[in-house]
Amino acid sequence: MKRNKFHKYKYSPWFITSRRIAGQFIVPFTIFQFIRTLFLPTVLDVLLLMIFLVIAISIYLDII
C-alpha cells in the first residue's frame, strides 16, 4: 500500500515563509516566557510556555 507523505517542498511559498519567520521569533519568546514563569508563575504563563515549547519543537523537528 502506498502512503502519501507530505514533503516540505510541496508546501506553498507563503507557508514556508511564515514558518521561517516563526522559527526566528519563537526562541526569544520562549526564553522570555520561561524567565517570566520563573518569577511570576501563573496558570496562563505556564500554558503559554507549554504552547511556545510545542511550537518551537515542532518547527525545529520539521513536524510543521
Side-chain angles (χ1 to χ4, degrees):
M1 180 184 295
K2 185 177 177 182
R3 298 179 106 189
N4 291 332
K5 291 189 176 186
F6 293 102
H7 299 286
K8 66 180 179 180
Y9 301 111
K10 290 185 179 181
Y11 294 135
S12 60
W14 65 267
F15 182 76
I16 294 171
T17 304
S18 63
R19 192 176 80 185
R20 286 182 186 160
I21 292 171
Q24 291 177 351
F25 285 110
I26 195 66
V27 173
F29 285 161
T30 306
I31 292 171
F32 174 76
Q33 189 61 36
F34 177 72
I35 293 170
R36 181 183 158 116
T37 305
L38 285 177
F39 291 120
L40 295 168
T42 63
V43 175
L44 181 65
D45 288 329
V46 173
L47 288 175
L48 198 57
L49 180 63
M50 294 295 212
I51 291 170
F52 284 163
L53 284 173
V54 168
I55 292 171
I57 291 170
S58 63
I59 285 175
Y60 285 108
L61 292 179
D62 288 333
I63 295 173
I64 60 169

